[in-house]
Amino acid sequence: MSRIVAETTHWQPAPRPLDAGRAVFAIGDVHAHADHLWALHERIAGIIALELAESQAAGQVSVVWLGDYVDRGWQPLQALDLVAAGLGLPDVEEIRLIGNHEVYLIEAATGEDLSLPRLLNWWRFGGEETLKTLAPDARIEEPAELAAALADSLGGERLAFLQGLALQHRIGDYLFVHAGISPERPLGAQTEQDLLWIREPFLSGRDWPHPVTVVHGHTPEGPTALPHRIGVDSGVFASGRLSAVELRGDRLRFISTQEEA
């Protein structure tokens, strides 16, 4: 029987330094793979516990979840519950961001957008597993029935959790978002569409104008570290790897899961 383990890479220079004693972990797109998230949580919690025991630097550690907790996998509720529960460590700041796949789920479960084109778009871009799991007997052609089934499966507490997720968070010279930011707009003028959906011209980052490095998911190419961005989405649904980045001082390393026989 295989088991999921999480391994770290070697340290490498970070694009920008954090304040002394500061550490940040950012976790990429989970996509309803709760078993991988559990293994990653255990590894990160072990690293944090060891560092806190050695340095006594309480309050200097942050963990950021970068969104896309559902879709493309068969454990959406378990994944949401793990993200909501966090690591369970004292004196650790925890920030949970929203991804574009959570927007689809919120819109459908609340009835905000039950148009057939929107629902079919969600199905096409990863929602099939979520819909089959949370609303197995509902039909897209009956949107009210579908919304009721999704809301019932989620329950009020999970739905409130989803609706309370943040769009972005900044720590020092790092900005944490789901997809990225537009290099064509000031930081304060970024749109929700930018933060949740952008790829180019963000990914290539030519003539980068912003005073921050963006830590993001959304594009399953990672883990990747460039001067203007750190991508942490390793496409767990296809690669079998869920990744996170650890930023500490002027260096970084990646933590990724894999299945072992």
Side-chain angles (χ1 to χ4, degrees):
M1 180 180 294
S2 64
R3 65 189 185 106
I4 298 171
V5 298
E7 302 293 342
T8 58
T9 64
H10 295 297
W11 290 103
Q12 65 186 79
R16 301 174 190 266
L18 288 170
D19 291 342
R22 196 77 164 86
V24 183
F25 297 80
I27 298 172
D29 302 33
V30 177
H31 280 306
H33 285 69
D35 46 359
H36 283 265
L37 183 58
W38 178 268
L40 197 58
H41 276 189
E42 283 196 322
R43 186 75 177 98
I44 292 172
I47 293 170
I48 293 173
L50 179 62
E51 291 294 329
L52 288 176
E54 292 180 348
S55 67
Q56 300 297 313
Q60 295 298 301
V61 179
S62 300
V63 179
V64 185
W65 289 261
L66 294 170
D68 278 6
Y69 313 121
V70 299
D71 293 349
R72 303 192 189 280
W74 297 98
Q75 301 169 313
L77 297 183
Q78 297 93 323
L80 286 173
D81 290 346
L82 279 175
V83 175
L87 300 187
L89 294 174
D91 302 314
V92 173
E93 178 188 36
E94 297 186 337
I95 302 100
R96 299 156 179 91
L97 303 183
I98 191 169
N100 57 299
H101 286 267
E102 281 73 60
V103 173
Y104 279 128
L105 179 55
I106 293 168
E107 288 177 349
T110 61
E112 179 183 344
D113 191 341
L114 289 168
S115 65
L116 187 57
R118 185 65 165 173
L119 291 172
L120 289 175
N121 199 47
W122 180 22
W123 179 283
R124 176 187 173 195
F125 287 106
E128 178 181 359
E129 293 90 344
T130 299
L131 286 165
K132 286 181 176 179
T133 301
L134 302 188
D137 300 319
R139 296 172 297 167
I140 285 181
E141 297 84 357
E142 297 291 340
E145 173 187 316
L146 180 66
L150 290 171
D152 184 62
S153 291
L154 284 171
E157 189 173 338
R158 288 194 192 95
L159 187 55
F161 167 73
L162 286 166
Q163 292 173 311
L165 295 170
L167 272 170
Q168 58 182 299
H169 187 78
R170 184 166 176 175
I171 299 174
D173 292 331
Y174 287 94
L175 182 66
F176 299 82
V177 301
H178 173 61
I181 63 175
S182 172
E184 300 169 352
R185 277 186 278 277
L187 285 179
Q190 300 292 317
T191 67
E192 182 173 314
Q193 181 74 16
D194 294 329
L195 301 175
L196 295 181
W197 284 97
I198 197 169
R199 288 201 166 97
E200 291 297 350
F202 163 68
L203 294 175
S204 55
R206 297 184 184 90
D207 302 318
W208 187 247
H210 297 303
V212 294
T213 292
V214 178
V215 183
H216 67 98
H218 187 60
T219 300
E221 56 160 19
T224 303
L226 298 171
H228 75 290
R229 67 179 181 91
I230 299 171
V232 201
D233 181 7
S234 54
V236 62
F237 56 90
S239 68
R241 293 186 301 120
L242 177 64
S243 295
V245 64
E246 177 183 358
L247 296 160
R248 191 179 296 272
D250 60 356
R251 57 186 184 159
L252 68 81
R253 63 179 175 178
F254 293 104
I255 310 164
S256 296
T257 63
Q258 62 181 17
E259 291 191 19
E260 283 190 350

